[in-house]
Amino acid sequence: MNNSEVCVGLDIGTTSIKALVCENVQGQVKVIGVGVAPAAGMSRGVIVDIDKTAQAISNAVAQAEEKSNVDISDVVVGLPANYLQMKRVHGMVTIADNGQSREIVNQDVATVAEEALTQSIPPERTIIDLVPTEFIVDGFDGIKDPRGMVGVRLEMKGTLYTGPQTIVHNTKKAVEKAGYQIKDFVITPIATGFNLLNDGEQDFGTLLIDLGGGQTTTSIIHDHQLKYTYVDPEGGQYITKDISTVLNTSFSNAEQLKRDHGFADSKQADENVQIDVDVVGQNEPVQYSEKYLAEVIEARVRQIFNRIARRLDKINAPKLPGGVVMIGGVAALPGITELAHQYFAGNIKVCVPDQMGIRHPRFATSYALGMYEDHLTDIDHLIKQTVRHSAALPQQGKTSHANEQLPVQPTKQSSPRNKQTTNKNKSSKRRSGSNKPSSLSKFKSLFNNLFD
């Protein structure tokens, strides 16, 4: 099978690297191959050793190739939310011929996007994405796709996302060294928030918590936009280290104990169930109760949840109708939802991909990346082509056309994708003229004050 018929999502995590081969079958994205390899050369979601990471990527993608019988040449790569910054941008062009209005075409959209990209970018940063919020034709706003309309003046409002050149360069270098080309870079909260949440969750507002191995990323999705992202520097790896230290066992043994016997909520663990643990310096295994192991795990998970809750209180985030959705390997711990209820309001659930072979929350990100490219609209592709062209040009000397800085958390912000689906695992395209229930006005007002 040719790679042009499929989309390969590559999730480069701190503890493992996952490659999913997805194919569109009669409008449904199906997973036809999975590859998983232990991560190497990673620290808190960032590549610190290109050679080691490249080898791990090669191992994961090779497994996916073998299982799917697909010759993989390019991949969609997720970028962590670390050190990302966002700016509002505005572009405007005159499209009239001799003062007469004419029909708007692809080139006009590309030209107005180029105007919006006219930014002064620090040399240590690079453009990652530009997400249009709306197009305006002769003063008529709220337009999602202006092509085919007639007008004299075309404007575009959007959000520009930039990241450190080091992170982007190292990721690109590692993927290319593994023997693959990058089809697209995607900020992971974009892929997960707008491919895993259903239309109502995206619209009314949902808190998405990605409990990864090296870090925990919390995102607020509201009105089909990514409103806020916070990266906590702790994840499942820290739970494993705690088990290793407290029980005096090796890291690999601690990881196995966490997976086989761990509970996030110690109330669900059994005091009478004893676990044999290979302790350093002991000839015979030492027994610990299942409840004691759970107490070690719970302490670290509580710390993570507590920091997230305090950060949300700091920005006065309201209770979201969509509740909380958790993904990532740590989300698989029994009792995680019960513990989360002590820190967050609303309905709380764990998102598990409904596909054979990946029914585990640790595959949620790679699955979302696999779906991402399939769900892009023509406008998305057009803007991305313009961004890639602009990013390849020297940025020094460019001045900002409209570069109001958004009030984001320093170095820990990410971006929205201008696409939606109609079912549980797919984002629905919004109609520009749709009306919202008045009950949501208070949420809109709070978010507008905070993020606008």
Side-chain angles (χ1 to χ4, degrees):
M1 189 184 298
N2 193 295
N3 188 41
S4 63
E5 301 173 3
V6 300
C7 187
V8 182
L10 182 63
D11 177 19
I12 306 175
T14 306
T15 57
S16 66
I17 294 176
K18 294 168 282 290
L20 259 65
V21 184
C22 297
E23 182 182 18
N24 189 313
V25 180
Q26 297 180 347
Q28 296 292 323
V29 176
K30 301 294 184 182
V31 175
I32 59 174
V34 183
V36 182
M42 301 290 299
S43 177
R44 296 182 180 181
V46 177
I47 297 174
V48 294
D49 189 317
I50 293 175
D51 290 338
K52 289 182 179 180
T53 304
Q55 184 58 55
I57 292 171
S58 180
N59 294 339
V61 179
Q63 289 182 35
E65 281 185 315
E66 182 179 357
K67 293 178 181 178
S68 63
N69 192 30
V70 170
D71 295 321
I72 297 173
S73 59
D74 51 53
V75 293
V76 177
V77 183
L79 285 175
N82 310 55
Y83 309 110
L84 291 168
Q85 293 180 353
M86 53 193 284
K87 283 184 178 180
R88 284 197 192 89
V89 292
H90 174 234
M92 181 175 67
V93 294
T94 300
I95 59 175
D97 289 329
N98 299 321
Q100 298 297 317
S101 61
R102 65 169 175 82
E103 189 172 299
I104 298 170
V105 296
N106 284 348
Q107 185 56 51
D108 298 318
V109 175
T111 302
V112 77
E114 288 174 355
E115 284 295 311
L117 287 167
T118 305
Q119 298 289 313
S120 179
I121 306 297
E124 71 276 6
R125 301 189 68 80
T126 187
I127 296 173
I128 296 176
D129 205 354
L130 170 65
V131 178
T133 304
E134 65 173 345
F135 291 92
I136 305 170
V137 178
D138 293 346
F140 293 95
D141 58 7
I143 299 169
K144 296 301 178 183
D145 187 348
R147 295 173 303 170
M149 298 180 179
V150 296
V152 174
R153 186 179 69 254
L154 175 65
E155 300 174 65
M156 188 194 81
K157 291 183 180 180
T159 307
L160 178 68
Y161 299 90
T162 66
Q165 281 196 4
T166 299
I167 290 179
V168 178
H169 171 81
N170 288 358
T171 304
K172 182 179 180 182
K173 196 76 174 178
V175 173
E176 290 179 348
K177 196 159 191 174
Y180 306 97
Q181 295 297 315
I182 295 176
K183 187 175 184 178
D184 203 353
F185 272 129
V186 188
I187 301 166
T188 49
I190 294 177
T192 54
F194 295 92
N195 284 287
L196 300 179
L197 302 183
N198 62 39
D199 186 67
E201 289 169 336
Q202 294 178 49
D203 195 10
F204 286 76
T206 302
L207 188 70
L208 180 65
I209 303 178
D210 185 354
L211 294 152
Q215 60 188 25
T216 300
T217 303
T218 303
S219 307
I220 292 177
I221 311 296
H222 178 261
D223 197 22
H224 292 277
Q225 298 178 46
L226 180 62
K227 296 289 191 177
Y228 179 81
T229 297
Y230 163 65
V231 178
D232 187 272
E234 295 182 4
Q237 210 170 43
Y238 285 79
I239 299 173
T240 305
K241 288 180 180 178
D242 290 343
I243 298 171
S244 176
T245 301
V246 175
L247 273 58
N248 198 27
T249 189
S250 68
F251 190 87
S252 59
N253 286 340
E255 180 66 23
Q256 198 64 41
L257 288 168
K258 180 181 74 175
R259 291 172 182 254
D260 295 344
H261 305 283
F263 285 83
D265 185 0
S266 60
K267 294 179 182 178
Q268 297 189 19
D270 193 338
E271 180 73 49
N272 299 318
V273 174
Q274 299 295 308
I275 306 168
D276 289 334
V277 179
D278 292 328
V279 174
V280 175
Q282 300 287 336
N283 293 327
E284 298 294 331
V286 176
Q287 287 194 332
Y288 290 95
S289 71
E290 184 181 77
K291 187 174 183 64
Y292 184 69
L293 173 65
E295 288 171 349
V296 176
I297 296 171
E298 181 182 323
R300 180 64 68 174
V301 178
R302 281 188 178 277
Q303 285 186 11
I304 296 172
F305 281 166
N306 185 54
R307 282 194 295 269
I308 294 171
R310 283 188 299 171
R311 184 58 65 98
L312 294 174
D313 287 340
K314 187 176 180 180
I315 65 170
N316 297 317
K319 175 183 175 181
L320 299 172
V324 179
V325 175
M326 294 185 289
I327 61 175
V330 179
L333 285 170
I336 193 76
T337 56
E338 289 78 4
L339 192 64
H341 271 294
Q342 300 179 31
Y343 295 89
F344 312 108
N347 182 50
I348 298 176
K349 66 179 182 181
V350 175
C351 177
V352 179
D354 187 21
Q355 294 273 340
M356 187 70 69
I358 60 167
R359 289 172 180 166
H360 192 283
R362 67 176 178 148
F363 289 109
T365 296
S366 50
Y367 180 50
L369 290 168
M371 291 191 291
Y372 174 82
E373 202 74 18
D374 182 73
H375 294 165
L376 290 179
T377 66
D378 289 342
I379 285 291
D380 292 329
H381 284 295
L382 194 54
I383 298 296
K384 278 184 171 292
Q385 290 173 7
T386 306
V387 169
R388 282 193 287 267
H389 174 72
S390 178
L393 299 176
Q395 297 297 322
Q396 290 78 3
K398 289 189 177 182
T399 57
S400 173
H401 185 71
N403 62 345
E404 178 187 357
Q405 182 69 47
L406 290 176
V408 301
Q409 292 298 321
T411 73
K412 295 178 181 177
Q413 193 70 30
S414 26
S415 65
R417 165 56 44 204
N418 201 17
K419 61 172 190 55
Q420 297 89 17
T421 64
T422 54
N423 56 42
K424 184 176 181 180
N425 290 324
K426 203 174 179 185
S427 350
S428 74
K429 296 171 189 171
R430 298 184 58 226
R431 298 178 178 87
S432 58
S434 63
N435 295 320
K436 299 291 181 66
S438 58
S439 61
L440 291 181
S441 59
K442 63 177 182 178
F443 296 111
K444 280 188 167 185
S445 176
L446 282 168
F447 280 126
N448 287 339
N449 291 335
L450 177 61
F451 303 109
D452 292 346

